[in-house]
Amino acid sequence: MDTEAVRSFVRAAELGQLQRAADELGVTQQAVSKRIASLERELDVRLFTRTARGVELTLDGQAFLPHARNIIAGVDRAITAIKPGSRALRIDVLGLRSAQAVVLHDYWRSHPEIDLDVVTLRVNDPRVAVAAVQAGDVDASFRSVTDPATLPRDVQMIHAFDSPLELLVGPRHPLASARTLTPSQLRRHRIWVPGIAPRSEWAEFYDQLATDFDLRIDAAGPNFGNEVLLDILADSADVATLVGSRDRYVWPANHDLRRIPIVNPTLAYPLSLILRRENPHPGLRAITDHLGRLSPPPTPTWRPSWATTPRHSGEDLDRTRR
């Protein structure tokens, strides 16, 4: 059934004149007449009788009107549910303790009026996240595709922010007393990052990091979660791991874990934002402006070769609208 024909019928019935209905709908009176005639043929009934003043509902028209109103209300609700700007801004993050979630939470605390829905797709392959953005399941995703040439034409990836890495160790580790560390000081120490997923962006990040700085990054064993990892670090004299400076970790006070910044160069994990090129959610502009104002990592900085280029606030979204 042609919902625009139903809409024309409802407005003509409520206003009593085809011309007034046409004016309100932004079409010609002839278009409204054709729509209603088509609807009458489809229903095989007459919905109006013509009068000197306009139109009046027949008995069949009176019976159909409340159902027609429900049809139009349902269509309008459906459109509103998916129309950018009329629903919550949905953004995918890697985890609710990740730097992306922390940054979004900081922004929301300053702008509590924003209707924000933070979700975790729980997928390792960034191509799945790209497909979710393309399908409109989420408005944006904090993921990186290390080969941007593989992105669909209707999807873009922009630089979000860089997350400096820190070494996380227990009190018995030989580096536990350091205030800062250089990458060369990490050599020969076991850096345990369990459960690195194949084809994930972080797998490529750690591969290049280990190669460039001759680091011993161990991905052996399944990932049983942060709590288990923190327990192991607290008891170990030789195991360390890498965390982002904005990542949120909480452990018992008796663990006495230490987060040690890595400098000269700072090891920066590049975080990107994947979003649609055309008609992005209006709320994304304020988010990307906020990300563009975050402090860059201390220089000198190492970033992997596939990292997206840092940008000025809002410039990428401006480009999509030109």
Side-chain angles (χ1 to χ4, degrees), residues 191-255:
I191 301 174
W192 189 38
V193 186
I196 295 178
R199 297 194 299 182
S200 65
E201 64 189 77
W202 50 94
E204 297 194 37
F205 174 84
Y206 285 119
D207 282 346
Q208 190 167 339
L209 180 67
T211 299
D212 287 1
F213 293 99
D214 192 24
L215 301 183
R216 180 188 170 196
I217 296 180
D218 181 4
N223 182 5
F224 286 103
N226 290 335
E227 289 75 13
V228 172
L229 175 61
L230 298 175
D231 290 344
I232 292 173
L233 292 174
D235 293 335
S236 176
D238 64 350
V239 178
T241 196
L242 293 170
V243 298
S245 62
R246 288 189 173 94
D247 293 343
R248 182 182 292 119
Y249 290 90
V250 179
W251 55 80
N254 59 2
H255 276 21

Short mmCIF file of all heavy atoms in Angstrom, two decimals, residues 191-255:
data_model
loop_
_atom_site.label_atom_id
_atom_site.label_comp_id
_atom_site.label_asym_id
_atom_site.label_seq_id
_atom_site.Cartn_x
_atom_site.Cartn_y
_atom_site.Cartn_z
N ILE A 191 56.97 -9.20 27.92
CA ILE A 191 55.76 -8.37 27.90
C ILE A 191 54.61 -9.27 27.46
O ILE A 191 54.56 -9.69 26.30
CB ILE A 191 55.93 -7.17 26.96
CG1 ILE A 191 57.12 -6.32 27.40
CG2 ILE A 191 54.65 -6.34 26.93
CD1 ILE A 191 57.45 -5.19 26.44
N TRP A 192 53.75 -9.57 28.38
CA TRP A 192 52.69 -10.55 28.12
C TRP A 192 51.40 -9.83 27.74
O TRP A 192 50.86 -9.03 28.51
CB TRP A 192 52.46 -11.40 29.36
CG TRP A 192 51.56 -12.58 29.14
CD1 TRP A 192 51.50 -13.37 28.03
CD2 TRP A 192 50.58 -13.09 30.04
NE1 TRP A 192 50.56 -14.36 28.18
CE2 TRP A 192 49.98 -14.21 29.41
CE3 TRP A 192 50.17 -12.73 31.32
CZ2 TRP A 192 48.97 -14.96 30.03
CZ3 TRP A 192 49.18 -13.48 31.93
CH2 TRP A 192 48.59 -14.58 31.30
N VAL A 193 50.92 -10.10 26.52
CA VAL A 193 49.65 -9.56 26.03
C VAL A 193 48.83 -10.76 25.56
O VAL A 193 48.84 -11.10 24.36
CB VAL A 193 49.86 -8.53 24.91
CG1 VAL A 193 48.52 -7.88 24.53
CG2 VAL A 193 50.88 -7.48 25.31
N PRO A 194 48.15 -11.42 26.47
CA PRO A 194 47.49 -12.68 26.10
C PRO A 194 46.31 -12.47 25.15
O PRO A 194 45.62 -11.45 25.19
CB PRO A 194 47.00 -13.22 27.45
CG PRO A 194 46.82 -12.01 28.31
CD PRO A 194 47.91 -11.07 27.88
N GLY A 195 46.10 -13.48 24.30
CA GLY A 195 44.91 -13.49 23.46
C GLY A 195 44.90 -12.48 22.36
O GLY A 195 43.83 -11.98 21.98
N ILE A 196 46.06 -12.12 21.78
CA ILE A 196 46.06 -11.20 20.64
C ILE A 196 45.35 -11.88 19.47
O ILE A 196 45.76 -12.95 19.01
CB ILE A 196 47.48 -10.80 20.24
CG1 ILE A 196 48.14 -10.00 21.37
CG2 ILE A 196 47.48 -9.98 18.97
CD1 ILE A 196 49.57 -9.59 21.09
N ALA A 197 44.27 -11.28 19.00
CA ALA A 197 43.43 -11.91 17.99
C ALA A 197 44.04 -11.73 16.60
O ALA A 197 44.39 -10.60 16.23
CB ALA A 197 42.02 -11.32 18.03
N PRO A 198 44.15 -12.81 15.82
CA PRO A 198 44.63 -12.66 14.44
C PRO A 198 43.73 -11.71 13.65
O PRO A 198 42.52 -11.65 13.87
CB PRO A 198 44.54 -14.10 13.89
CG PRO A 198 44.53 -14.98 15.10
CD PRO A 198 43.84 -14.19 16.18
N ARG A 199 44.34 -10.96 12.73
CA ARG A 199 43.67 -10.01 11.84
C ARG A 199 43.12 -8.78 12.56
O ARG A 199 42.48 -7.93 11.95
CB ARG A 199 42.53 -10.68 11.06
CG ARG A 199 43.01 -11.78 10.13
CD ARG A 199 41.94 -12.19 9.14
NE ARG A 199 40.75 -12.71 9.79
CZ ARG A 199 39.70 -13.16 9.13
NH1 ARG A 199 39.66 -13.12 7.81
NH2 ARG A 199 38.65 -13.64 9.79
N SER A 200 43.37 -8.67 13.86
CA SER A 200 42.93 -7.48 14.59
C SER A 200 43.96 -6.38 14.41
O SER A 200 45.13 -6.63 14.09
CB SER A 200 42.75 -7.78 16.08
OG SER A 200 44.00 -8.12 16.68
N GLU A 201 43.52 -5.15 14.62
CA GLU A 201 44.44 -4.02 14.48
C GLU A 201 45.55 -4.10 15.51
O GLU A 201 46.70 -3.72 15.24
CB GLU A 201 43.68 -2.70 14.62
CG GLU A 201 43.07 -2.51 16.01
CD GLU A 201 42.15 -1.32 16.09
OE1 GLU A 201 41.01 -1.42 15.62
OE2 GLU A 201 42.59 -0.30 16.64
N TRP A 202 45.22 -4.58 16.72
CA TRP A 202 46.25 -4.63 17.76
C TRP A 202 47.27 -5.74 17.49
O TRP A 202 48.41 -5.63 17.92
CB TRP A 202 45.63 -4.77 19.15
CG TRP A 202 44.62 -5.84 19.35
CD1 TRP A 202 44.82 -7.11 19.80
CD2 TRP A 202 43.21 -5.73 19.10
NE1 TRP A 202 43.65 -7.80 19.86
CE2 TRP A 202 42.63 -6.98 19.43
CE3 TRP A 202 42.39 -4.72 18.65
CZ2 TRP A 202 41.27 -7.23 19.31
CZ3 TRP A 202 41.03 -4.96 18.52
CH2 TRP A 202 40.48 -6.21 18.85
N ALA A 203 46.89 -6.78 16.75
CA ALA A 203 47.87 -7.79 16.36
C ALA A 203 48.93 -7.15 15.45
O ALA A 203 50.14 -7.37 15.62
CB ALA A 203 47.18 -8.94 15.65
N GLU A 204 48.49 -6.34 14.49
CA GLU A 204 49.43 -5.67 13.60
C GLU A 204 50.25 -4.62 14.35
O GLU A 204 51.43 -4.41 14.07
CB GLU A 204 48.69 -5.05 12.43
CG GLU A 204 47.98 -6.09 11.56
CD GLU A 204 47.53 -5.53 10.23
OE1 GLU A 204 48.26 -4.70 9.67
OE2 GLU A 204 46.45 -5.93 9.77
N PHE A 205 49.61 -3.95 15.31
CA PHE A 205 50.34 -2.95 16.10
C PHE A 205 51.48 -3.61 16.87
O PHE A 205 52.63 -3.14 16.82
CB PHE A 205 49.38 -2.27 17.08
CG PHE A 205 50.05 -1.34 18.05
CD1 PHE A 205 50.33 -0.03 17.69
CD2 PHE A 205 50.42 -1.77 19.32
CE1 PHE A 205 50.96 0.84 18.58
CE2 PHE A 205 51.05 -0.91 20.22
CZ PHE A 205 51.32 0.39 19.84
N TYR A 206 51.19 -4.70 17.58
CA TYR A 206 52.23 -5.34 18.39
C TYR A 206 53.30 -5.99 17.52
O TYR A 206 54.48 -6.02 17.91
CB TYR A 206 51.61 -6.34 19.35
CG TYR A 206 50.92 -5.69 20.53
CD1 TYR A 206 49.55 -5.86 20.75
CD2 TYR A 206 51.62 -4.89 21.41
CE1 TYR A 206 48.92 -5.24 21.81
CE2 TYR A 206 51.00 -4.26 22.48
CZ TYR A 206 49.64 -4.45 22.68
OH TYR A 206 49.02 -3.83 23.73
N ASP A 207 52.92 -6.51 16.35
CA ASP A 207 53.93 -7.07 15.45
C ASP A 207 54.94 -6.00 15.03
O ASP A 207 56.15 -6.22 15.07
CB ASP A 207 53.25 -7.64 14.21
CG ASP A 207 52.61 -9.00 14.46
OD1 ASP A 207 52.92 -9.60 15.51
OD2 ASP A 207 51.81 -9.45 13.62
N GLN A 208 54.44 -4.83 14.65
CA GLN A 208 55.35 -3.77 14.21
C GLN A 208 56.14 -3.20 15.38
O GLN A 208 57.33 -2.89 15.25
CB GLN A 208 54.56 -2.66 13.51
CG GLN A 208 55.46 -1.65 12.82
CD GLN A 208 54.70 -0.74 11.88
OE1 GLN A 208 53.61 -1.07 11.42
NE2 GLN A 208 55.27 0.41 11.57
N LEU A 209 55.49 -3.08 16.54
CA LEU A 209 56.19 -2.58 17.73
C LEU A 209 57.35 -3.50 18.10
O LEU A 209 58.47 -3.03 18.38
CB LEU A 209 55.20 -2.47 18.89
CG LEU A 209 55.76 -1.96 20.22
CD1 LEU A 209 56.19 -0.50 20.10
CD2 LEU A 209 54.72 -2.12 21.33
N ALA A 210 57.10 -4.81 18.12
CA ALA A 210 58.15 -5.77 18.47
C ALA A 210 59.29 -5.73 17.47
O ALA A 210 60.47 -5.80 17.85
CB ALA A 210 57.56 -7.18 18.54
N THR A 211 58.96 -5.59 16.19
CA THR A 211 59.99 -5.55 15.15
C THR A 211 60.84 -4.28 15.24
O THR A 211 62.07 -4.32 15.18
CB THR A 211 59.34 -5.64 13.77
OG1 THR A 211 58.63 -6.87 13.67
CG2 THR A 211 60.38 -5.55 12.67
N ASP A 212 60.19 -3.14 15.41
CA ASP A 212 60.91 -1.87 15.39
C ASP A 212 61.81 -1.68 16.61
O ASP A 212 62.83 -0.98 16.54
CB ASP A 212 59.92 -0.70 15.30
CG ASP A 212 59.30 -0.58 13.91
OD1 ASP A 212 59.63 -1.41 13.03
OD2 ASP A 212 58.48 0.33 13.70
N PHE A 213 61.41 -2.27 17.76
CA PHE A 213 62.18 -2.02 18.99
C PHE A 213 62.77 -3.30 19.58
O PHE A 213 63.29 -3.27 20.70
CB PHE A 213 61.29 -1.33 20.03
CG PHE A 213 60.89 0.06 19.64
CD1 PHE A 213 59.65 0.31 19.09
CD2 PHE A 213 61.78 1.12 19.80
CE1 PHE A 213 59.28 1.59 18.72
CE2 PHE A 213 61.41 2.41 19.44
CZ PHE A 213 60.17 2.65 18.89
N ASP A 214 62.69 -4.39 18.84
CA ASP A 214 63.27 -5.66 19.28
C ASP A 214 62.75 -6.06 20.67
O ASP A 214 63.52 -6.37 21.59
CB ASP A 214 64.81 -5.56 19.30
CG ASP A 214 65.47 -6.91 19.47
OD1 ASP A 214 64.84 -7.93 19.13
OD2 ASP A 214 66.62 -6.95 19.96
N LEU A 215 61.41 -6.01 20.79
CA LEU A 215 60.79 -6.33 22.06
C LEU A 215 60.29 -7.78 22.08
O LEU A 215 59.97 -8.36 21.04
CB LEU A 215 59.61 -5.38 22.34
CG LEU A 215 59.93 -3.90 22.40
CD1 LEU A 215 58.67 -3.10 22.74
CD2 LEU A 215 61.04 -3.61 23.41
N ARG A 216 60.20 -8.32 23.27
CA ARG A 216 59.72 -9.70 23.46
C ARG A 216 58.26 -9.64 23.91
O ARG A 216 57.97 -9.54 25.10
CB ARG A 216 60.58 -10.41 24.51
CG ARG A 216 60.17 -11.84 24.78
CD ARG A 216 60.94 -12.38 25.97
NE ARG A 216 60.43 -13.65 26.43
CZ ARG A 216 60.71 -14.19 27.61
NH1 ARG A 216 61.49 -13.53 28.46
NH2 ARG A 216 60.20 -15.35 27.96
N ILE A 217 57.36 -9.65 22.94
CA ILE A 217 55.93 -9.59 23.24
C ILE A 217 55.36 -10.99 23.13
O ILE A 217 55.41 -11.61 22.06
CB ILE A 217 55.21 -8.60 22.32
CG1 ILE A 217 55.73 -7.19 22.58
CG2 ILE A 217 53.70 -8.66 22.52
CD1 ILE A 217 55.11 -6.12 21.72
N ASP A 218 54.83 -11.49 24.22
CA ASP A 218 54.33 -12.85 24.32
C ASP A 218 52.81 -12.83 24.32
O ASP A 218 52.19 -12.25 25.22
CB ASP A 218 54.87 -13.47 25.63
CG ASP A 218 54.42 -14.90 25.81
OD1 ASP A 218 53.77 -15.45 24.90
OD2 ASP A 218 54.72 -15.47 26.88
N ALA A 219 52.20 -13.47 23.32
CA ALA A 219 50.74 -13.53 23.24
C ALA A 219 50.21 -14.91 23.61
O ALA A 219 49.04 -15.22 23.35
CB ALA A 219 50.28 -13.16 21.84
N ALA A 220 51.03 -15.73 24.25
CA ALA A 220 50.65 -17.11 24.53
C ALA A 220 49.49 -17.17 25.52
O ALA A 220 49.39 -16.35 26.43
CB ALA A 220 51.85 -17.87 25.10
N GLY A 221 48.66 -18.17 25.33
CA GLY A 221 47.59 -18.45 26.28
C GLY A 221 46.33 -17.68 25.99
O GLY A 221 46.36 -16.63 25.34
N PRO A 222 45.19 -18.18 26.48
CA PRO A 222 43.92 -17.47 26.30
C PRO A 222 43.83 -16.26 27.20
O PRO A 222 44.54 -16.15 28.21
CB PRO A 222 42.87 -18.53 26.70
CG PRO A 222 43.60 -19.41 27.67
CD PRO A 222 45.02 -19.46 27.21
N ASN A 223 42.95 -15.36 26.84
CA ASN A 223 42.72 -14.15 27.63
C ASN A 223 41.57 -14.42 28.60
O ASN A 223 40.41 -14.50 28.19
CB ASN A 223 42.40 -12.98 26.71
CG ASN A 223 42.19 -11.68 27.46
OD1 ASN A 223 42.39 -11.62 28.68
ND2 ASN A 223 41.81 -10.65 26.75
N PHE A 224 41.88 -14.57 29.88
CA PHE A 224 40.86 -14.82 30.89
C PHE A 224 40.31 -13.54 31.51
O PHE A 224 39.58 -13.59 32.49
CB PHE A 224 41.42 -15.74 31.99
CG PHE A 224 41.58 -17.17 31.56
CD1 PHE A 224 42.82 -17.68 31.23
CD2 PHE A 224 40.47 -18.00 31.47
CE1 PHE A 224 42.96 -19.00 30.83
CE2 PHE A 224 40.60 -19.33 31.07
CZ PHE A 224 41.85 -19.83 30.75
N GLY A 225 40.69 -12.39 30.95
CA GLY A 225 40.16 -11.13 31.44
C GLY A 225 41.18 -10.34 32.24
O GLY A 225 42.23 -10.85 32.67
N ASN A 226 40.87 -9.08 32.46
CA ASN A 226 41.80 -8.18 33.14
C ASN A 226 42.08 -8.59 34.57
O ASN A 226 43.21 -8.45 35.06
CB ASN A 226 41.24 -6.75 33.12
CG ASN A 226 41.25 -6.15 31.72
OD1 ASN A 226 42.04 -6.56 30.88
ND2 ASN A 226 40.37 -5.19 31.50
N GLU A 227 41.06 -9.10 35.28
CA GLU A 227 41.26 -9.44 36.69
C GLU A 227 42.33 -10.51 36.86
O GLU A 227 43.20 -10.42 37.73
CB GLU A 227 39.94 -9.89 37.32
CG GLU A 227 38.92 -8.79 37.52
CD GLU A 227 38.24 -8.36 36.23
OE1 GLU A 227 38.38 -9.07 35.21
OE2 GLU A 227 37.57 -7.32 36.24
N VAL A 228 42.28 -11.54 36.00
CA VAL A 228 43.28 -12.61 36.07
C VAL A 228 44.66 -12.07 35.71
O VAL A 228 45.66 -12.38 36.36
CB VAL A 228 42.88 -13.77 35.14
CG1 VAL A 228 44.00 -14.80 35.06
CG2 VAL A 228 41.60 -14.42 35.63
N LEU A 229 44.72 -11.24 34.67
CA LEU A 229 46.00 -10.66 34.27
C LEU A 229 46.60 -9.84 35.40
O LEU A 229 47.80 -9.94 35.70
CB LEU A 229 45.80 -9.79 33.03
CG LEU A 229 47.01 -9.00 32.54
CD1 LEU A 229 48.16 -9.92 32.15
CD2 LEU A 229 46.62 -8.11 31.36
N LEU A 230 45.81 -9.04 36.06
CA LEU A 230 46.31 -8.20 37.16
C LEU A 230 46.78 -9.04 38.33
O LEU A 230 47.78 -8.72 38.99
CB LEU A 230 45.22 -7.22 37.60
CG LEU A 230 44.76 -6.21 36.54
CD1 LEU A 230 43.59 -5.37 37.07
CD2 LEU A 230 45.90 -5.31 36.09
N ASP A 231 46.07 -10.12 38.63
CA ASP A 231 46.50 -11.03 39.70
C ASP A 231 47.87 -11.63 39.39
O ASP A 231 48.74 -11.73 40.27
CB ASP A 231 45.48 -12.16 39.88
CG ASP A 231 44.17 -11.69 40.49
OD1 ASP A 231 44.14 -10.57 41.04
OD2 ASP A 231 43.17 -12.43 40.40
N ILE A 232 48.07 -12.04 38.14
CA ILE A 232 49.35 -12.65 37.74
C ILE A 232 50.48 -11.63 37.83
O ILE A 232 51.57 -11.92 38.33
CB ILE A 232 49.24 -13.23 36.32
CG1 ILE A 232 48.28 -14.44 36.34
CG2 ILE A 232 50.60 -13.62 35.78
CD1 ILE A 232 47.96 -14.99 34.96
N LEU A 233 50.22 -10.40 37.37
CA LEU A 233 51.26 -9.37 37.45
C LEU A 233 51.66 -9.09 38.89
O LEU A 233 52.85 -8.88 39.19
CB LEU A 233 50.76 -8.08 36.80
CG LEU A 233 50.55 -8.09 35.27
CD1 LEU A 233 49.92 -6.78 34.82
CD2 LEU A 233 51.87 -8.33 34.55
N ALA A 234 50.69 -9.07 39.79
CA ALA A 234 50.98 -8.76 41.20
C ALA A 234 51.91 -9.78 41.83
O ALA A 234 52.72 -9.44 42.71
CB ALA A 234 49.67 -8.68 41.98
N ASP A 235 51.83 -11.04 41.38
CA ASP A 235 52.63 -12.10 41.99
C ASP A 235 53.93 -12.39 41.24
O ASP A 235 54.76 -13.17 41.72
CB ASP A 235 51.81 -13.40 42.04
CG ASP A 235 50.64 -13.30 43.00
OD1 ASP A 235 50.72 -12.47 43.93
OD2 ASP A 235 49.64 -14.03 42.79
N SER A 236 54.10 -11.78 40.05
CA SER A 236 55.22 -12.17 39.20
C SER A 236 56.43 -11.24 39.36
O SER A 236 56.29 -10.04 39.56
CB SER A 236 54.77 -12.15 37.73
OG SER A 236 55.85 -12.43 36.87
N ALA A 237 57.59 -11.83 39.22
CA ALA A 237 58.84 -11.07 39.26
C ALA A 237 59.39 -10.85 37.85
O ALA A 237 60.45 -10.21 37.71
CB ALA A 237 59.88 -11.78 40.12
N ASP A 238 58.72 -11.37 36.82
CA ASP A 238 59.29 -11.22 35.48
C ASP A 238 58.27 -10.91 34.39
O ASP A 238 58.65 -10.74 33.23
CB ASP A 238 60.07 -12.48 35.10
CG ASP A 238 59.18 -13.70 34.99
OD1 ASP A 238 58.00 -13.63 35.39
OD2 ASP A 238 59.67 -14.74 34.50
N VAL A 239 56.99 -10.83 34.73
CA VAL A 239 55.96 -10.60 33.71
C VAL A 239 55.48 -9.15 33.79
O VAL A 239 55.22 -8.63 34.88
CB VAL A 239 54.76 -11.55 33.88
CG1 VAL A 239 53.69 -11.25 32.83
CG2 VAL A 239 55.22 -13.00 33.75
N ALA A 240 55.38 -8.51 32.64
CA ALA A 240 54.83 -7.15 32.53
C ALA A 240 53.83 -7.14 31.39
O ALA A 240 53.77 -8.07 30.58
CB ALA A 240 55.95 -6.14 32.27
N THR A 241 53.05 -6.09 31.30
CA THR A 241 52.15 -5.92 30.16
C THR A 241 52.12 -4.44 29.77
O THR A 241 52.65 -3.58 30.50
CB THR A 241 50.74 -6.44 30.46
OG1 THR A 241 50.02 -6.59 29.23
CG2 THR A 241 49.97 -5.49 31.37
N LEU A 242 51.51 -4.16 28.64
CA LEU A 242 51.38 -2.79 28.15
C LEU A 242 49.92 -2.36 28.23
O LEU A 242 49.02 -3.13 27.85
CB LEU A 242 51.88 -2.67 26.71
CG LEU A 242 53.38 -2.88 26.50
CD1 LEU A 242 53.70 -2.99 25.01
CD2 LEU A 242 54.18 -1.75 27.14
N VAL A 243 49.68 -1.14 28.71
CA VAL A 243 48.34 -0.59 28.79
C VAL A 243 48.36 0.83 28.28
O VAL A 243 49.41 1.49 28.27
CB VAL A 243 47.79 -0.62 30.24
CG1 VAL A 243 47.68 -2.04 30.76
CG2 VAL A 243 48.66 0.23 31.17
N GLY A 244 47.21 1.32 27.84
CA GLY A 244 47.10 2.70 27.42
C GLY A 244 47.00 3.63 28.61
O GLY A 244 46.43 3.28 29.65
N SER A 245 47.53 4.83 28.47
CA SER A 245 47.56 5.75 29.60
C SER A 245 46.15 6.16 30.05
O SER A 245 45.95 6.53 31.21
CB SER A 245 48.36 7.01 29.24
OG SER A 245 47.77 7.70 28.15
N ARG A 246 45.18 6.10 29.14
CA ARG A 246 43.80 6.46 29.51
C ARG A 246 42.95 5.24 29.84
O ARG A 246 41.80 5.39 30.24
CB ARG A 246 43.14 7.26 28.38
CG ARG A 246 43.65 8.68 28.21
CD ARG A 246 42.79 9.43 27.21
NE ARG A 246 43.13 10.84 27.12
CZ ARG A 246 43.96 11.35 26.22
NH1 ARG A 246 44.56 10.54 25.35
NH2 ARG A 246 44.21 12.64 26.18
N ASP A 247 43.48 4.03 29.64
CA ASP A 247 42.70 2.84 29.97
C ASP A 247 42.44 2.80 31.47
O ASP A 247 43.31 3.16 32.27
CB ASP A 247 43.45 1.58 29.56
CG ASP A 247 43.59 1.45 28.05
OD1 ASP A 247 42.86 2.15 27.33
OD2 ASP A 247 44.44 0.65 27.60
N ARG A 248 41.24 2.36 31.83
CA ARG A 248 40.86 2.33 33.24
C ARG A 248 41.06 0.91 33.79
O ARG A 248 40.41 -0.03 33.34
CB ARG A 248 39.40 2.77 33.42
CG ARG A 248 38.95 2.80 34.88
CD ARG A 248 37.50 3.20 35.01
NE ARG A 248 37.27 4.59 34.65
CZ ARG A 248 36.47 5.00 33.67
NH1 ARG A 248 35.85 4.10 32.92
NH2 ARG A 248 36.30 6.28 33.41
N TYR A 249 41.96 0.78 34.75
CA TYR A 249 42.18 -0.49 35.44
C TYR A 249 42.04 -0.27 36.93
O TYR A 249 42.51 0.74 37.47
CB TYR A 249 43.58 -1.04 35.14
CG TYR A 249 43.76 -1.54 33.72
CD1 TYR A 249 44.21 -0.69 32.71
CD2 TYR A 249 43.48 -2.86 33.38
CE1 TYR A 249 44.36 -1.13 31.41
CE2 TYR A 249 43.63 -3.32 32.10
CZ TYR A 249 44.07 -2.46 31.11
OH TYR A 249 44.21 -2.90 29.82
N VAL A 250 41.42 -1.23 37.58
CA VAL A 250 41.23 -1.16 39.03
C VAL A 250 41.71 -2.48 39.62
O VAL A 250 41.36 -3.56 39.13
CB VAL A 250 39.75 -0.92 39.39
CG1 VAL A 250 39.58 -0.87 40.91
CG2 VAL A 250 39.24 0.37 38.75
N TRP A 251 42.54 -2.40 40.68
CA TRP A 251 43.02 -3.61 41.32
C TRP A 251 43.06 -3.41 42.83
O TRP A 251 43.07 -2.26 43.31
CB TRP A 251 44.42 -3.97 40.79
CG TRP A 251 45.43 -2.88 40.93
CD1 TRP A 251 46.14 -2.51 42.03
CD2 TRP A 251 45.85 -1.98 39.87
NE1 TRP A 251 46.97 -1.45 41.76
CE2 TRP A 251 46.83 -1.11 40.44
CE3 TRP A 251 45.53 -1.84 38.53
CZ2 TRP A 251 47.45 -0.12 39.69
CZ3 TRP A 251 46.16 -0.87 37.80
CH2 TRP A 251 47.10 -0.02 38.37
N PRO A 252 43.10 -4.50 43.60
CA PRO A 252 43.18 -4.38 45.07
C PRO A 252 44.44 -3.64 45.49
O PRO A 252 45.49 -3.75 44.84
CB PRO A 252 43.20 -5.84 45.54
CG PRO A 252 42.59 -6.62 44.42
CD PRO A 252 42.97 -5.91 43.16
N ALA A 253 44.35 -2.91 46.57
CA ALA A 253 45.49 -2.11 47.03
C ALA A 253 46.72 -2.97 47.30
O ALA A 253 47.86 -2.53 47.07
CB ALA A 253 45.11 -1.32 48.28
N ASN A 254 46.52 -4.20 47.76
CA ASN A 254 47.68 -5.03 48.09
C ASN A 254 48.40 -5.58 46.86
O ASN A 254 49.46 -6.19 46.98
CB ASN A 254 47.28 -6.19 49.02
CG ASN A 254 46.23 -7.10 48.41
OD1 ASN A 254 45.81 -6.91 47.27
ND2 ASN A 254 45.80 -8.09 49.18
N HIS A 255 47.83 -5.37 45.66
CA HIS A 255 48.55 -5.76 44.45
C HIS A 255 49.75 -4.85 44.22
O HIS A 255 50.77 -5.28 43.67
CB HIS A 255 47.62 -5.67 43.23
CG HIS A 255 46.78 -6.89 43.01
ND1 HIS A 255 46.51 -7.80 44.01
CD2 HIS A 255 46.14 -7.35 41.89
CE1 HIS A 255 45.74 -8.77 43.52
NE2 HIS A 255 45.50 -8.52 42.24
#
